C-alpha cells in the first residue's frame, strides 16, 4: 500500500492538467442531460457518468447490455432500483438542487454523478 502513495500524489497534482485520473474523480465537466435523454449502461459503466440536470427533470437509466445492473444513490438522494436486464429502465426525478452520487451495486467502479441545478 505504501508503494502506491507517490503514485496517488502524482495523480492528484496532474488532475488539473489531465481530466480525471482513475475512476474516483474524473474531474471532467458534467454533460447536460436533456429531457428525454437517457443515461446508458454499457460495458459496466454509466454513459455519460457525469450529468447535469435541472431540478424536477426526470432522469432515466437504460440498460444497454445483457449484463444485469441496478442504480442506487450513495449520497445526495435516496433511491434504489431493482436489478434489471437488457432494455430495462429506471427513473428518478430530483426535487432539490445538489450533487447526487450513485452506483450499480453489482459492479464495483460502476458509478456516476448527477449535478442537480436550480432552474
Ligand atoms: Cu452494473
Amino acid at each position: 500500500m505504501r508503494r502506491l502513495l507517490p503514485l496517488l500524489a502524482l495523480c492528484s497534482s496532474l488532475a488539473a492538467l489531465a481530466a480525471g485520473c482513475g475512476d474516483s474523480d474524473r474531474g471532467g465537466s458534467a454533460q447536460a442531460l436533456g429531457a428525454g435523454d437517457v443515461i446508458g449502461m454499457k460495458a459496466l459503466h454509466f454513459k455519460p457518468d457525469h450529468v447535469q440536470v435541472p431540478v424536477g427533470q426526470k432522469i432515466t437509466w437504460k440498460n444497454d447490455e445483457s449484463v444485469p445492473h441496478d442504480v442506487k444513490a450513495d449520497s445526495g438522494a435516496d433511491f434504489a432500483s431493482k436489478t434489471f436486464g437488457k432494455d430495462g429502465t429506471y427513473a428518478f426525478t430530483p426535487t432539490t438542487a445538489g450533487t447526487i452520487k450513485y452506483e450499480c451495486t453489482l459492479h464495483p467502479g460502476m458509478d456516476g454523478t448527477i449535478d442537480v441545478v436550480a432552474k
Side-chain angles (χ1 to χ4, degrees):
M1 190 61 199
R2 186 180 299 168
R3 210 170 274 179
L4 285 174
L5 289 175
L7 179 61
L8 289 173
L10 177 66
C11 192
S12 301
S13 62
L14 288 177
L17 300 173
C21 197
D23 280 349
S24 59
D25 182 9
R26 289 175 178 83
S29 53
Q31 182 173 325
L33 195 71
D37 289 348
V38 300
I39 298 175
M41 305 161 92
K42 190 153 184 132
L44 305 184
H45 283 89
F46 294 104
K47 293 183 188 294
D49 65 0
H50 189 181
V51 300
Q52 178 179 304
V53 300
V55 169
Q57 179 179 300
K58 183 166 81 171
I59 300 158
T60 301
W61 288 265
K62 178 170 178 279
N63 189 345
D64 295 312
E65 62 187 343
S66 56
V67 181
H69 295 296
D70 66 10
V71 184
K72 178 185 170 291
D74 288 323
S75 63
D78 186 18
F79 58 80
S81 77
K82 295 178 181 170
T83 299
F84 53 94
K86 186 170 170 57
D87 293 331
T89 62
Y90 176 71
F92 169 76
T93 303
T95 54
T96 56
T99 301
I100 298 170
K101 299 276 192 183
Y102 68 93
E103 66 175 336
C104 168
T105 65
L106 306 174
H107 301 112
M110 182 173 178
D111 46 42
T113 303
I114 303 164
D115 295 333
V116 184
V117 296
K119 282 196 240 191

